[in-house]
Short mmCIF file of all heavy atoms in Angstrom, two decimals:
data_model
loop_
_atom_site.label_atom_id
_atom_site.label_comp_id
_atom_site.label_asym_id
_atom_site.label_seq_id
_atom_site.Cartn_x
_atom_site.Cartn_y
_atom_site.Cartn_z
N ARG T 363 97.37 117.82 106.51
CA ARG T 363 96.98 118.94 107.27
C ARG T 363 96.68 118.61 108.73
O ARG T 363 97.02 119.35 109.62
CB ARG T 363 95.71 119.67 106.65
CG ARG T 363 95.25 120.88 107.40
CD ARG T 363 94.10 121.63 106.72
NE ARG T 363 94.70 122.15 105.46
CZ ARG T 363 94.05 121.99 104.20
NH1 ARG T 363 92.83 121.36 104.15
NH2 ARG T 363 94.50 122.70 103.16
N TYR T 364 96.14 117.43 108.80
CA TYR T 364 95.94 116.88 110.23
C TYR T 364 95.77 115.27 110.00
O TYR T 364 95.40 114.73 108.83
CB TYR T 364 94.83 117.43 110.87
CG TYR T 364 93.41 117.05 110.36
CD1 TYR T 364 92.82 115.87 110.55
CD2 TYR T 364 92.79 117.98 109.48
CE1 TYR T 364 91.55 115.53 109.96
CE2 TYR T 364 91.56 117.69 108.82
CZ TYR T 364 90.90 116.49 109.21
OH TYR T 364 89.77 116.13 108.59
N ALA T 365 95.98 114.52 111.04
CA ALA T 365 95.77 113.12 110.97
C ALA T 365 95.31 112.73 112.40
O ALA T 365 95.93 113.21 113.31
CB ALA T 365 96.88 112.29 110.39
N THR T 366 94.33 111.77 112.43
CA THR T 366 94.01 111.17 113.67
C THR T 366 94.24 109.73 113.60
O THR T 366 93.91 109.11 112.54
CB THR T 366 92.53 111.52 114.13
OG1 THR T 366 91.66 110.96 113.10
CG2 THR T 366 92.34 112.95 114.21
N GLY T 367 94.56 109.16 114.71
CA GLY T 367 95.04 107.67 114.65
C GLY T 367 96.43 107.58 114.84
O GLY T 367 97.14 108.47 114.53
N VAL T 368 96.93 106.51 115.43
CA VAL T 368 98.25 106.33 115.65
C VAL T 368 98.91 105.67 114.45
O VAL T 368 98.49 104.45 114.06
CB VAL T 368 98.65 105.45 116.99
CG1 VAL T 368 100.05 105.28 117.22
CG2 VAL T 368 97.82 106.12 118.16
N PRO T 369 99.99 106.34 113.91
CA PRO T 369 100.66 105.62 112.71
C PRO T 369 101.35 104.22 112.96
O PRO T 369 101.56 103.99 114.14
CB PRO T 369 101.82 106.62 112.33
CG PRO T 369 101.27 107.96 112.98
CD PRO T 369 100.61 107.52 114.15
N ARG T 370 101.33 103.47 112.03
CA ARG T 370 101.92 102.09 112.30
C ARG T 370 103.38 102.18 112.10
O ARG T 370 104.06 103.01 111.25
CB ARG T 370 101.30 101.06 111.26
CG ARG T 370 99.86 101.25 111.11
CD ARG T 370 99.14 100.26 112.01
NE ARG T 370 97.63 100.34 111.76
CZ ARG T 370 96.77 99.37 112.30
NH1 ARG T 370 97.18 98.56 113.28
NH2 ARG T 370 95.58 99.56 112.01
N ALA T 371 104.14 101.18 112.54
CA ALA T 371 105.69 100.96 112.37
C ALA T 371 105.82 100.30 110.95
O ALA T 371 104.93 99.56 110.59
CB ALA T 371 106.19 100.23 113.50
N ILE T 372 107.05 100.34 110.40
CA ILE T 372 107.33 99.63 109.19
C ILE T 372 106.94 98.19 109.17
O ILE T 372 106.30 97.68 108.19
CB ILE T 372 108.67 100.06 108.70
CG1 ILE T 372 108.72 101.54 108.15
CG2 ILE T 372 109.05 99.12 107.47
CD1 ILE T 372 110.07 101.90 107.81
N PRO T 373 107.47 97.44 110.16
CA PRO T 373 107.28 96.04 110.05
C PRO T 373 105.85 95.55 110.06
O PRO T 373 105.37 94.78 109.29
CB PRO T 373 107.89 95.52 111.34
CG PRO T 373 108.95 96.46 111.72
CD PRO T 373 108.47 97.87 111.20
N GLU T 374 104.94 96.35 110.72
CA GLU T 374 103.52 96.08 110.80
C GLU T 374 102.84 96.43 109.45
O GLU T 374 102.01 95.62 109.00
CB GLU T 374 102.97 96.85 111.85
CG GLU T 374 101.40 96.41 112.16
CD GLU T 374 100.68 97.25 113.27
OE1 GLU T 374 101.41 98.18 113.77
OE2 GLU T 374 99.61 96.91 113.71
N ILE T 375 103.30 97.56 108.79
CA ILE T 375 102.84 97.94 107.49
C ILE T 375 103.16 96.75 106.44
O ILE T 375 102.39 96.45 105.60
CB ILE T 375 103.19 99.23 107.07
CG1 ILE T 375 102.65 100.32 107.80
CG2 ILE T 375 103.07 99.47 105.55
CD1 ILE T 375 101.17 100.46 107.54
N CYS T 376 104.54 96.27 106.46
CA CYS T 376 105.05 95.30 105.61
C CYS T 376 104.26 94.03 105.85
O CYS T 376 103.95 93.32 104.73
CB CYS T 376 106.42 95.14 105.76
SG CYS T 376 107.35 96.54 104.98
N GLN T 377 103.91 93.64 106.98
CA GLN T 377 103.08 92.33 107.18
C GLN T 377 101.77 92.50 106.37
O GLN T 377 101.29 91.50 105.90
CB GLN T 377 102.86 92.10 108.72
CG GLN T 377 104.11 91.62 109.43
CD GLN T 377 103.76 91.60 110.95
OE1 GLN T 377 103.53 92.45 111.73
NE2 GLN T 377 103.73 90.20 111.42
N ALA T 378 101.10 93.76 106.60
CA ALA T 378 99.87 93.89 105.99
C ALA T 378 99.98 93.89 104.48
O ALA T 378 99.14 93.54 103.68
CB ALA T 378 99.22 95.18 106.40
N LEU T 379 101.14 94.44 103.94
CA LEU T 379 101.29 94.57 102.51
C LEU T 379 101.42 93.17 101.90
O LEU T 379 100.73 92.88 100.86
CB LEU T 379 102.56 95.37 102.20
CG LEU T 379 102.49 96.99 102.12
CD1 LEU T 379 103.81 97.58 102.08
CD2 LEU T 379 101.72 97.36 100.96
N VAL T 380 102.21 92.34 102.49
CA VAL T 380 102.30 91.02 101.98
C VAL T 380 101.02 90.18 102.18
O VAL T 380 100.73 89.46 101.19
CB VAL T 380 103.58 90.26 102.66
CG1 VAL T 380 103.62 88.82 102.24
CG2 VAL T 380 104.76 91.03 102.52
N HIS T 381 100.30 90.46 103.10
CA HIS T 381 99.06 89.73 103.32
C HIS T 381 98.05 90.09 102.31
O HIS T 381 97.37 89.32 101.67
CB HIS T 381 98.40 90.08 104.81
CG HIS T 381 97.17 89.45 104.97
ND1 HIS T 381 95.97 90.04 104.83
CD2 HIS T 381 96.83 88.27 105.50
CE1 HIS T 381 95.05 89.29 105.19
NE2 HIS T 381 95.58 88.26 105.64
N ALA T 382 98.00 91.50 101.94
CA ALA T 382 97.03 91.97 100.98
C ALA T 382 97.54 91.65 99.64
O ALA T 382 96.65 91.56 98.72
CB ALA T 382 96.78 93.37 101.31
N LEU T 383 98.79 91.81 99.30
CA LEU T 383 99.31 91.83 98.01
C LEU T 383 99.61 90.38 97.49
O LEU T 383 99.67 90.25 96.26
CB LEU T 383 100.48 92.74 97.81
CG LEU T 383 100.26 94.20 98.11
CD1 LEU T 383 101.56 94.96 97.84
CD2 LEU T 383 99.11 94.84 97.34
N GLY T 384 99.73 89.46 98.27
CA GLY T 384 100.23 87.92 97.99
C GLY T 384 99.25 87.53 96.95
O GLY T 384 99.63 87.08 95.84
N PRO T 385 97.91 87.49 97.16
CA PRO T 385 97.01 87.00 96.18
C PRO T 385 96.92 87.74 94.84
O PRO T 385 96.86 87.16 93.67
CB PRO T 385 95.56 87.22 96.79
CG PRO T 385 95.99 87.20 98.28
CD PRO T 385 97.18 87.91 98.35
N VAL T 386 97.03 89.07 94.88
CA VAL T 386 97.24 89.87 93.74
C VAL T 386 98.42 89.58 92.83
O VAL T 386 98.33 89.28 91.60
CB VAL T 386 97.21 91.37 93.94
CG1 VAL T 386 97.26 92.18 92.76
CG2 VAL T 386 95.87 91.74 94.72
N PHE T 387 99.58 89.31 93.52
CA PHE T 387 100.88 88.98 92.95
C PHE T 387 100.67 87.75 92.18
O PHE T 387 101.16 87.50 91.08
CB PHE T 387 102.00 89.04 93.97
CG PHE T 387 103.36 88.70 93.32
CD1 PHE T 387 103.94 89.76 92.65
CD2 PHE T 387 103.82 87.45 93.22
CE1 PHE T 387 105.18 89.32 91.95
CE2 PHE T 387 105.07 87.17 92.80
CZ PHE T 387 105.75 88.07 92.02
N THR T 388 100.24 86.67 92.89
CA THR T 388 100.03 85.33 92.34
C THR T 388 99.17 85.38 91.19
O THR T 388 99.51 84.78 90.12
CB THR T 388 99.42 84.37 93.42
OG1 THR T 388 100.35 84.41 94.54
CG2 THR T 388 99.26 83.02 92.81
N ALA T 389 98.01 86.06 91.32
CA ALA T 389 97.10 86.13 90.05
C ALA T 389 97.61 86.93 88.74
O ALA T 389 97.33 86.61 87.70
CB ALA T 389 95.77 86.78 90.54
N GLN T 390 98.47 87.95 89.13
CA GLN T 390 98.91 88.90 88.01
C GLN T 390 100.46 88.68 87.75
O GLN T 390 100.97 89.63 87.05
CB GLN T 390 98.61 90.29 88.41
CG GLN T 390 97.15 90.59 88.78
CD GLN T 390 96.27 90.64 87.48
OE1 GLN T 390 96.76 90.52 86.43
NE2 GLN T 390 95.07 90.66 87.76
N GLU T 391 101.15 87.68 88.26
CA GLU T 391 102.59 87.57 88.06
C GLU T 391 102.96 87.58 86.53
O GLU T 391 103.94 88.28 86.15
CB GLU T 391 103.09 86.21 88.71
CG GLU T 391 104.55 86.13 88.68
CD GLU T 391 105.06 84.87 89.45
OE1 GLU T 391 104.12 84.19 89.87
OE2 GLU T 391 106.18 84.84 89.77
N ARG T 392 102.24 86.85 85.75
CA ARG T 392 102.53 86.91 84.34
C ARG T 392 102.44 88.23 83.67
O ARG T 392 103.24 88.63 82.88
CB ARG T 392 101.67 85.75 83.57
CG ARG T 392 102.02 85.83 82.04
CD ARG T 392 101.10 84.90 81.39
NE ARG T 392 101.15 84.88 79.95
CZ ARG T 392 101.94 83.95 79.32
NH1 ARG T 392 102.60 82.95 79.97
NH2 ARG T 392 102.06 84.04 77.93
N ARG T 393 101.37 88.90 84.04
CA ARG T 393 101.03 90.14 83.51
C ARG T 393 102.15 91.29 83.86
O ARG T 393 102.46 92.07 83.16
CB ARG T 393 99.69 90.66 83.85
CG ARG T 393 99.18 92.00 83.21
CD ARG T 393 97.96 92.62 83.74
NE ARG T 393 96.74 91.58 83.81
CZ ARG T 393 95.90 91.48 82.83
NH1 ARG T 393 96.07 92.25 81.75
NH2 ARG T 393 95.05 90.59 82.85
N ILE T 394 102.40 91.03 85.20
CA ILE T 394 103.55 92.01 85.70
C ILE T 394 104.82 91.85 84.94
O ILE T 394 105.58 92.87 84.49
CB ILE T 394 103.85 91.74 87.15
CG1 ILE T 394 102.68 92.11 88.03
CG2 ILE T 394 104.97 92.47 87.68
CD1 ILE T 394 102.53 91.56 89.47
N ALA T 395 105.22 90.63 84.60
CA ALA T 395 106.36 90.33 83.89
C ALA T 395 106.30 90.85 82.42
O ALA T 395 107.22 91.49 81.94
CB ALA T 395 106.74 88.86 83.87
N GLU T 396 105.07 90.74 81.98
CA GLU T 396 104.86 91.28 80.63
C GLU T 396 104.95 92.77 80.54
O GLU T 396 105.35 93.45 79.56
CB GLU T 396 103.52 90.77 80.06
CG GLU T 396 103.39 89.49 79.70
CD GLU T 396 101.87 89.00 79.28
OE1 GLU T 396 101.04 89.72 79.72
OE2 GLU T 396 101.81 87.98 78.64
#
C-alpha cells in the first residue's frame, strides 16, 4: 500500500543473501539434501 525507504538493487540484495544464508546452508546442507 505504501513503502518508505529506497529499495535495493539486485546485486546488493544477493550480497546480503549469501552473507546471511551461508552459515545456515553450511549447518543444514545434509538436511536440505534429505
